[in-house]
Amino acid sequence: SSYPSFTIRVRPLTCAETRRGDRRVVHSLGDGTVHVSATSPPGTGGLQHSLSCRCPHAQVSSDRHDATFGFSAVFDAGASQEDVFEGSGMRQLVELAIDGFSCTVFAFGQTGSGKTYTLMGPLAQSETQPASSALLGLMQRSFACLLEQSQSRGSDLALSASYLEIYNEQVRDLLSPGPPCTLSLRWSKTRGFYVENQLSVDFENLEAIVGLLLQGAEPRRRRTSAHALNRHSSRSHALLTIHIRSRAGVQSITSPTRVPQPSTCPSKQGTLCFVDLAGSERVKETGSSGELSVEANSINRSLLALGHCISLLAKPRGKRTHIPYRDSKLTRLLARSLGGSGITLMVACISPSSRCLSETLSTLHYACRARRVTTRP
Ligand code: ADP
Ligand code: MG
């Protein structure tokens, strides 16, 4: 299959949306297409503008209020977390990472569209009552799959994790104890872009990696009030990276009976990175105070830079110009995953509500542009 692979997930209408009478304007036709249909209120120019965007995969009907988009997988409101894991190609991505590839999963879309739910599942009911295992997200399912594979390969994989956040163009370590500290993003000829002094924590079992996930997610989820928190987490990008080193070829100290591989065998190093992107909604320019507009600018800048890099990477190799990874911290951090032999799975999260129509169209158009990147493992 070719990459990046594109998946759309349409969440159900929430109770609140149903109560206030929102209509469902997004439908999956069951053939990998998403259909967005709405009658726009008179005098709305914005919608027409979104639809006139050049997207080869969108068929816009003559009345300019309907659009159909085609993707490699579309999950409608009824899809379970397991359906998404199995049907999005996530399992294959885990296997490719074990084979030494740099793999990245992006969840993007407006705030409230289901990015965090898709990646991590819903919040636990309480400390003692964790969320049902059926609701666990792509991350926990991938960890389980990774550890199973590791076990079946005789535990020859060395696993470690790092967890970073980019907020207002500052990189913070979510695993460091105490208040989050800002780290420097550097570049060297040998390593490319890297984060100086970031913590990387070894783990060997599911409890340990899920513990790291919760530890990192905690400051984002619980910092102050629930409202402020949601605002914070939707204004920052979070990147959890699993580093997978194959111990094959290295004589193991713990199992001296093991036949050593020839030393010429390179030790493979793959990565599996989960990116929960900041909400893509356009923050209104007017009325945003100092702090808000700095946030909005940082988000717009990095999402634009990401979209820009991705659309340039979509060009055939021979025709590629310079890829401007340097335009944002996000694209610098992801330079290796996006280019070269990197493998990408994009999950566009969408609300079905009529109130989100214009953001939904903008998410789908963003996805369409990015969809034209092709790299093969
Ligand atoms: P985001 O991270 O994009 O801001 P969330 O993942 O926090 O959005 O989802 C917003 C709300 O919708 C949450 O209450 C979440 O539990 C709910 N939700 C999202 N996706 C689904 C889904 N597929 N099924 C049921 N509820 C969902
Ligand atoms: Mg979120």
Side-chain angles (χ1 to χ4, degrees):
S1 55
S2 68
Y3 292 94
S5 170
F6 255 93
T7 290
I8 305 292
R9 188 179 206 188
V10 189
R11 68 158 168 77
L13 276 175
T14 61
C15 295
E17 287 168 339
T18 310
R19 244 183 282 123
R20 71 182 184 202
D22 289 13
R23 282 170 304 117
R24 267 179 66 110
V25 295
V26 184
H27 297 275
S28 165
L29 304 181
D31 55 356
T33 63
V34 197
H35 188 70
V36 185
S37 150
T39 327
S40 64
T44 41
L47 178 59
Q48 293 205 357
H49 176 73
S50 316
L51 287 172
S52 66
C53 166
R54 269 176 296 131
C55 173
H57 308 287
Q59 288 149 20
V60 179
S61 67
S62 54
D63 66 3
R64 308 196 122 232
H65 297 140
D66 295 314
T68 306
F69 301 82
F71 296 95
S72 42
V74 176
F75 298 96
D76 218 337
S80 67
Q81 296 282 68
E82 189 186 358
D83 292 339
V84 177
F85 180 75
E86 297 296 343
S88 62
M90 190 62 231
R91 186 181 287 281
Q92 288 87 312
L93 217 66
V94 173
E95 284 160 7
L96 286 164
I98 294 172
D99 287 338
F101 288 93
S102 302
C103 301
T104 310
V105 190
F106 290 97
F108 71 100
Q110 73 179 117
T111 300
S113 60
K115 298 179 295 293
T116 304
Y117 185 96
T118 297
L119 289 176
M120 301 174 55
L123 288 171
Q125 298 298 303
S126 69
E127 300 268 322
T128 49
Q129 199 188 340
S132 143
S133 66
L135 298 181
L136 293 174
L138 289 179
M139 289 169 123
Q140 296 95 331
R141 287 168 200 272
S142 301
F143 302 158
C145 174
L146 174 63
L147 287 155
E148 261 167 41
Q149 297 270 332
S150 171
Q151 230 104 78
S152 71
R153 293 179 188 213
S155 298
D156 70 342
L157 301 178
L159 305 171
S160 62
S162 57
Y163 204 176
L164 302 172
E165 169 182 72
I166 304 175
Y167 178 70
N168 281 347
E169 287 297 279
Q170 292 196 320
V171 182
R172 296 177 182 173
D173 200 324
L174 290 169
L175 293 183
S176 68
C181 55
T182 305
L183 302 176
S184 305
L185 183 53
R186 305 206 180 278
W187 186 87
S188 84
K189 245 185 182 153
T190 48
R191 296 175 68 179
F193 292 107
Y194 67 97
V195 177
E196 194 173 54
N197 296 327
Q198 79 170 325
L199 277 181
S200 177
V201 181
D202 294 343
F203 65 92
E204 285 185 339
N205 56 48
L206 196 56
E207 291 70 48
I209 179 61
V210 169
L212 289 173
L213 173 65
L214 296 177
Q215 185 193 326
E218 186 122 308
R220 310 181 75 232
R221 287 182 158 183
R222 260 225 300 226
R223 202 164 277 154
T224 40
S225 70
H227 177 76
L229 252 190
N230 192 25
R231 197 184 71 93
H232 176 87
S233 70
S234 67
R235 306 282 87 193
S236 69
H237 310 293
L239 299 86
L240 180 111
T241 309
I242 308 284
H243 307 269
I244 306 161
R245 253 175 313 114
S246 173
R247 293 193 187 115
V250 181
Q251 194 163 9
S252 170
I253 302 159
T254 49
S255 58
T257 52
R258 221 182 143 85
V259 181
Q261 304 283 303
S263 58
T264 49
C265 171
S267 87
K268 288 187 294 186
Q269 176 154 8
T271 52
L272 183 57
C273 182
F274 298 86
V275 187
D276 193 339
L277 288 170
S280 60
E281 63 275 4
R282 282 161 295 210
V283 182
K284 300 220 172 22
E285 301 291 341
T286 50
S288 62
S289 58
E291 192 198 347
L292 268 179
S293 70
V294 170
E295 279 180 355
N297 283 338
S298 309
I299 295 167
N300 289 344
R301 182 164 140 198
S302 55
L303 291 177
L304 272 175
L306 180 64
H308 192 199
C309 287
I310 285 178
S311 67
L312 287 173
L313 283 160
K315 293 185 177 170
R317 256 169 209 279
K319 291 190 177 174
R320 263 187 216 169
T321 46
H322 165 72
I323 312 286
Y325 294 117
R326 285 182 183 268
D327 285 2
S328 75
K329 292 260 163 87
L330 180 68
T331 44
R332 272 182 252 178
L333 264 174
L334 292 168
R336 202 162 56 106
S337 313
L338 292 174
S341 60
I343 293 165
T344 307
L345 169 62
M346 309 276 296
V347 183
C349 296
I350 280 172
S351 154
S353 163
S354 44
R355 297 209 188 192
C356 299
L357 179 64
S358 114
E359 290 300 338
T360 292
L361 288 168
S362 133
T363 300
L364 289 169
H365 282 294
Y366 186 90
C368 276
R369 279 193 299 276
R371 199 173 170 249
R372 282 175 282 157
V373 194
T374 41
T375 51
R376 274 166 210 279

